[in-house]
Amino acid sequence: MRWMEQKIKVLAISGSLRQKSSNTALIKATIGLASENISFIVYDGLGDLPHFNPDLDVEKGPASVRELREQLKQADGVLICTPEYGNGVPGTLKNALDWLVSSGEFVNKPTAVISASPSPMGGNLAHASLLLTLQMINAEIVENGKVIIPHITLKLNQEGIITNADTRQELKALLQGLEQACRGQA
């Protein structure tokens, strides 16, 4: 089948700016579980975005915002992995999403969401909040595309390897759902 030969492009976004973030390590480990039919671009501009201001949300707008929007336009799908700060989505990730509310890059874009935390709840409040925002901007959350990982420090080692078989399986199912949705098979 010809379409199987084409790689799909996924933009991967970690909701953490911390250098040794377990969520950034997890997103990289998840990418390592993907089939060879998916290519990833890891977005690294989260900390470069200005605070959202509707007065700046004009056609030209800030260069960093234009770059984010262009990367989203070029992507077939999106993978977001976020920690939880203060019972919610980290401010930098929410800020990025605020820049996308009026521009439409997420409309019907296949999207998968992971939250991970050392806590027993796994960042469930951030996860729920993120899903509400993505729903509002019309992202398509794919089948099997929602994973909450509690006790991440017990499931991801210092080298960034997923050591828990169940977690690895959940993430593989998430990636498979994302790939199928990007190919229009979901």
Side-chain angles (χ1 to χ4, degrees), residues 23 26 82-84 114-128 147-152 155:
N23 278 269
L26 180 60
T82 189
E84 181 174 286
I114 304 166
S115 67
S117 171
S119 81
M121 302 309 289
N124 65 323
L125 296 174
H127 194 84
V147 173
I148 296 173
I149 304 173
H151 303 293
I152 187 60
K155 298 174 181 176

Side-chain angles (χ1 to χ4, degrees), residues 33 62-63 67 78 89 91 94 118 121-123 125 130 159-160 164 166:
L33 299 174
E67 182 180 325
V78 180
V89 174
K94 179 63 168 85
M121 302 309 289
L125 296 174
L130 180 56
E159 292 77 39
N164 181 277
D166 290 339

Side-chain angles (χ1 to χ4, degrees), residues 4 32 50-51 60 75 77 117 133 149 168 182:
M4 288 293 278
H51 294 292
K60 202 78 162 135
S117 171
T133 300
I149 304 173
R168 205 170 25 257
C182 289

Side-chain angles (χ1 to χ4, degrees), residues 97-137:
L97 295 173
D98 286 346
W99 279 109
L100 303 170
V101 167
S102 66
S103 59
E105 288 83 13
F106 260 105
V107 173
N108 300 321
K109 183 78 67 173
T111 304
V113 176
I114 304 166
S115 67
S117 171
S119 81
M121 302 309 289
N124 65 323
L125 296 174
H127 194 84
S129 177
L130 180 56
L131 289 171
L132 283 173
T133 300
L134 290 170
Q135 179 184 19
M136 205 287 305
I137 57 178

Side-chain angles (χ1 to χ4, degrees), residues 17-33:
L17 297 178
R18 196 167 57 102
Q19 189 173 11
K20 293 187 176 188
S21 162
S22 55
N23 278 269
T24 300
L26 180 60
I27 209 163
K28 290 176 181 176
T30 302
I31 289 169
L33 299 174

